[in-house]
Amino acid sequence: MRTILCTLALLLGFSAPVRAIDIERVEPANWWVGMQHNRVELLVHGNGIATSTPRLSHHGVAIVDVQKTDNPNYLFVTVEIAADATPGNFDIAFVDAGKIVATHPWRLDAREPGSAQRRGFDAHDAIYLITPDRFANGDPSNDSVPGMREAANRASPNGRHGGDIAGIRKHLDYIAGMGFTQLWPTPFLENDQPEYSYHGYAITDLYKTDPRMGSNEDVRALSREAKSKGVGIVMDIVLNHIGSQHWWMRDLPAKDWINHGGRFAPTNHRRTTVQDPHAAPADREAFTDGWFVDAMPDLNQRNPHLARYLIQNTLWWIEYAGLSGIREDTFGYADADFLSAWAKAVLTEYPNFAMVGEEWSINPMVVAHWQRGKQNASGHVPHMPSMMDFPIHIALRTALVQPEGWDTGWVNLYEMLANDFVYPDPDALVVFAENHDTARLFAHLDGDLAAWKLGMAYLATVRGTPQFYYGSEVLLRGPKERNDGQLRADMPGGWAGDTANAFTGNGLSAAQRDAQAYTRALFDWRKRTPLLHTGKLTHFAPQDGVYVYFRHEGGRSVMVALNKNAKPTSLALDRFDAFLRGRTARDALSAKPVGMGRALELPAMSATLLEIE
């Protein structure tokens, strides 16, 4: 270190340092030539660093701004990168009273060809959601890592079980073979919390993969390998909060970095307060500024340095890991103006990129508020291309368990879908029957396999992009009431010695094999059927326990008839003449011809899927 400092001092015309400063972090540690975001604000952390002045000498790179906060251990240094800047390594020197007190390496990289034009996921895709710690253990040597607060304990539903990136890479062929084209893992990033660290949402380092999962390079390798198999990676981003053991909490960059002065104050979860013209300001503030739990400090994105840090962190991961999409956690809980700026910055850099936000509300108006193109009375201008369709999620689960009646059963789903007029782009929404925060659909249905198949058929054929939760294809069940550790159960076969193996089929019951085969056939058919990607959806009001809709385009259509009756049902076809008259039909999954007379016989509790030509 001394030699480096003295050499750099000579090059820059300064004498040797008197008081050296240890720089603990410079984030981000690198950037790329040719980015739209070419003014990068570096967070520099080191004891007393604020008294120094940064200097650098590299072709095409210049320091254009330096700012301080109320914490003398931070500097925020903005570098501007010219279009003709030279990729490579160089040092940033920090000078105090004419003497170099510290240096730190930084790097410029060349971009991957076509990076800015990358295509994100859309309705052509189907997303497979996994909890990495519970999917597959490919490298048992990293189950427990010295120095990390929580060791592996597979016996505990709430402990770390050892799933990792190596395990995911081992089973990419399985994921692709099931018909899925996108993989959404819950966060990989470091969660060095004392407990409940397996889920990934209490991040303690936003630039570092948790070593119990692997390394940053492992994430990049996963993305490249997945892409070669036709599968994109959707990264789970958390903008609202961090983990209580995040390194910031030991030395906050500014007093207003964390909401409520860094002290726990719970959110009220009142999502409507963001749009409600009558909402008390105190209630609105309690929603956005409150903490989820005391282990998740709530970030104040109104601090401009934090806002830039979070935006740059997202751009960095997209570029570094070659992502095809982002799922953004707890979307509406963050500052609304920041959310707009964040999404706009991402789409400015990657115009064809895909992002979906989580707004857990049954109210379509609340969800639609955040989608790009929505004209909001509040004046908020959103830029998110997609949102998770929680209203359809809840309506589907309700419809499958309610008895059929004038205003119960399928009509819940029919009328919820009719609310699509409130969305700027309903076809861009992500639809799902379950996820890592809900009881699994199979448990919700008390183990009714026929009803479960109805739900999966709807998921694969309705408008939007479907998201499927790992393990459901082999009927992982868990509790009926939400219990996170149990609903995020281990994938059978992901661990050496498992008696059942979802990946090979060994040890599965007949029902599990049936469900897996149905899922594979359903999503493989969806992948190769353009009508299910871009076809218009026309649905007919449910009658007598049957819900019928068509996906259609250019004279061709797919007919979906969902029969919830416990007995076979004869479906009169005269209502559907506009789609069926004079045309032939074949079963979508078996390709066998189906006679289309005056009525169609529907098996009990079944989804009939027909290709009409």
Side-chain angles (χ1 to χ4, degrees), residues 98-129:
K99 302 180 185 300
I100 294 179
V101 293
T103 62
H104 199 278
W106 209 66
R107 191 179 79 249
L108 269 182
D109 291 328
R111 299 184 80 178
E112 294 279 346
S115 177
Q117 289 75 42
R118 71 185 65 215
R119 184 189 77 83
F121 65 81
D122 57 24
H124 293 79
D125 293 291
I127 302 170
Y128 192 67
L129 163 62

Side-chain angles (χ1 to χ4, degrees), residues 131-348:
T131 303
D133 180 68
R134 307 299 171 85
F135 185 66
N137 187 352
D139 181 9
S141 70
N142 66 10
D143 291 359
S144 298
V145 173
M148 303 295 287
R149 289 179 172 84
E150 188 174 15
N153 180 9
R154 196 181 178 201
S156 169
N158 298 316
R160 299 193 71 96
H161 290 190
D164 51 28
I165 295 170
I168 300 170
R169 293 177 67 182
K170 183 178 179 181
H171 298 297
L172 285 172
D173 284 333
Y174 170 82
I175 295 169
M178 289 296 296
F180 300 107
T181 58
Q182 299 288 330
L183 175 64
W184 159 23
T186 56
F188 285 136
L189 299 185
E190 182 190 270
N191 271 237
D192 193 13
Q193 296 286 114
E195 57 186 357
Y196 298 104
S197 68
Y198 75 91
H199 55 67
Y201 290 99
I203 297 170
T204 55
D205 191 324
L206 287 159
Y207 279 100
K208 182 183 178 183
T209 299
D210 195 297
R212 293 162 294 191
M213 294 284 177
S215 66
N216 283 7
E217 183 54 43
D218 290 332
V219 174
R220 179 186 281 185
L222 169 66
S223 180
R224 289 172 174 166
E225 189 173 348
K227 185 178 180 181
S228 74
K229 300 178 185 296
V231 177
I233 298 297
V234 179
M235 187 171 182
D236 209 329
I237 295 287
V238 186
L239 301 172
N240 179 67
H241 55 265
I242 54 175
S244 57
Q245 298 301 318
H246 191 290
W247 65 269
W248 282 336
M249 299 305 291
R250 297 188 292 275
D251 191 21
L252 286 176
K255 290 178 181 178
D256 64 349
W257 203 257
I258 303 294
N259 283 321
H260 294 285
R263 295 182 301 276
F264 174 61
T267 178
N268 59 15
H269 297 291
R270 298 299 179 187
R271 295 168 173 82
T272 57
T273 58
V274 174
Q275 304 164 63
D276 181 2
H278 313 295
D283 286 343
R284 187 177 296 119
E285 180 181 335
F287 169 61
T288 60
D289 292 3
W291 299 24
F292 261 65
V293 292
D294 57 3
M296 293 180 174
D298 199 74
L299 295 172
N300 175 24
Q301 301 89 7
R302 293 178 296 275
N303 180 296
H305 298 299
L306 175 56
R308 281 190 288 271
Y309 181 99
L310 294 172
I311 289 170
Q312 290 176 171
N313 180 255
T314 298
L315 297 176
W316 189 92
W317 276 109
I318 296 170
E319 193 72 19
Y320 175 83
L323 304 178
S324 70
I326 283 171
R327 180 266 187 182
E328 205 290 309
D329 180 67
T330 55
F331 191 79
Y333 287 81
D335 179 75
D337 290 340
F338 163 76
L339 290 171
S340 183
W342 170 80
K344 184 177 181 181
V346 172
L347 294 176
T348 297

Side-chain angles (χ1 to χ4, degrees), residues 363-383:
N363 186 343
M365 293 299 296
V366 172
V367 178
H369 172 87
W370 300 107
Q371 193 182 25
R372 178 174 58 186
K374 183 67 174 177
Q375 301 296 311
N376 289 306
S378 66
H380 174 71
V381 179
H383 292 279

Side-chain angles (χ1 to χ4, degrees), residues 239-541:
L239 301 172
N240 179 67
H241 55 265
I242 54 175
S244 57
Q245 298 301 318
H246 191 290
W247 65 269
W248 282 336
M249 299 305 291
R250 297 188 292 275
D251 191 21
L252 286 176
K255 290 178 181 178
D256 64 349
W257 203 257
I258 303 294
N259 283 321
H260 294 285
R263 295 182 301 276
F264 174 61
T267 178
N268 59 15
H269 297 291
R270 298 299 179 187
R271 295 168 173 82
T272 57
T273 58
V274 174
Q275 304 164 63
D276 181 2
H278 313 295
D283 286 343
R284 187 177 296 119
E285 180 181 335
F287 169 61
T288 60
D289 292 3
W291 299 24
F292 261 65
V293 292
D294 57 3
M296 293 180 174
D298 199 74
L299 295 172
N300 175 24
Q301 301 89 7
R302 293 178 296 275
N303 180 296
H305 298 299
L306 175 56
R308 281 190 288 271
Y309 181 99
L310 294 172
I311 289 170
Q312 290 176 171
N313 180 255
T314 298
L315 297 176
W316 189 92
W317 276 109
I318 296 170
E319 193 72 19
Y320 175 83
L323 304 178
S324 70
I326 283 171
R327 180 266 187 182
E328 205 290 309
D329 180 67
T330 55
F331 191 79
Y333 287 81
D335 179 75
D337 290 340
F338 163 76
L339 290 171
S340 183
W342 170 80
K344 184 177 181 181
V346 172
L347 294 176
T348 297
E349 197 69 58
Y350 308 98
N352 304 314
F353 196 63
M355 296 185 289
V356 58
E358 178 198 32
E359 176 55 274
W360 195 332
S361 174
I362 194 173
N363 186 343
M365 293 299 296
V366 172
V367 178
H369 172 87
W370 300 107
Q371 193 182 25
R372 178 174 58 186
K374 183 67 174 177
Q375 301 296 311
N376 289 306
S378 66
H380 174 71
V381 179
H383 292 279
M384 282 296 281
S386 177
M387 297 298 293
M388 301 299 300
D389 196 341
F390 275 92
I392 287 293
H393 155 75
I394 296 167
L396 173 62
R397 291 166 72 100
T398 301
L400 288 171
V401 297
Q402 273 189 350
E404 288 299 307
W406 174 253
D407 58 355
T408 59
W410 285 132
V411 74
N412 290 280
L413 200 51
Y414 170 76
E415 293 188 347
M416 188 59 76
L417 193 63
N419 287 317
D420 272 4
F421 68 89
V422 308
Y423 296 106
D425 188 3
D427 291 336
L429 299 175
V430 173
V431 292
F432 60 104
E434 59 196 352
N435 66 18
H436 59 297
D437 289 326
T438 72
R440 289 182 180 266
L441 183 64
F442 195 55
H444 178 71
L445 299 173
D446 291 322
D448 187 331
L449 180 57
W452 178 86
K453 286 184 177 181
L454 282 172
M456 293 303 109
Y458 182 82
L459 180 65
T461 56
V462 74
R463 57 90 179 115
T465 304
Q467 170 253 293
F468 188 93
Y469 191 37
Y470 82 99
S472 286
E473 70 270 32
V474 291
L475 304 180
L476 286 187
R477 184 165 175 171
K480 189 170 183 178
E481 300 300 324
R482 178 177 173 179
N483 183 305
D484 289 351
Q486 294 179 29
L487 70 91
R488 302 163 185 167
D490 293 347
M491 182 72 159
W495 279 253
D498 284 359
T499 56
N501 192 319
F503 305 113
T504 65
N506 294 335
L508 298 182
S509 69
Q512 287 177 305
R513 290 194 299 272
D514 179 33
Q516 189 179 50
Y518 185 74
T519 303
R520 184 184 294 111
L522 192 60
F523 284 94
D524 181 66
W525 168 60
R526 187 189 189 281
K527 182 165 62 174
R528 52 186 168 80
T529 305
L531 281 174
L532 298 177
H533 310 155
T534 59
K536 177 179 170 58
L537 190 152
T538 299
H539 64 166
F540 291 77

Side-chain angles (χ1 to χ4, degrees), residues 83-103:
D84 64 346
T86 303
N89 300 302
F90 57 93
D91 285 329
I92 301 175
F94 295 85
V95 180
D96 192 357
K99 302 180 185 300
I100 294 179
V101 293
T103 62

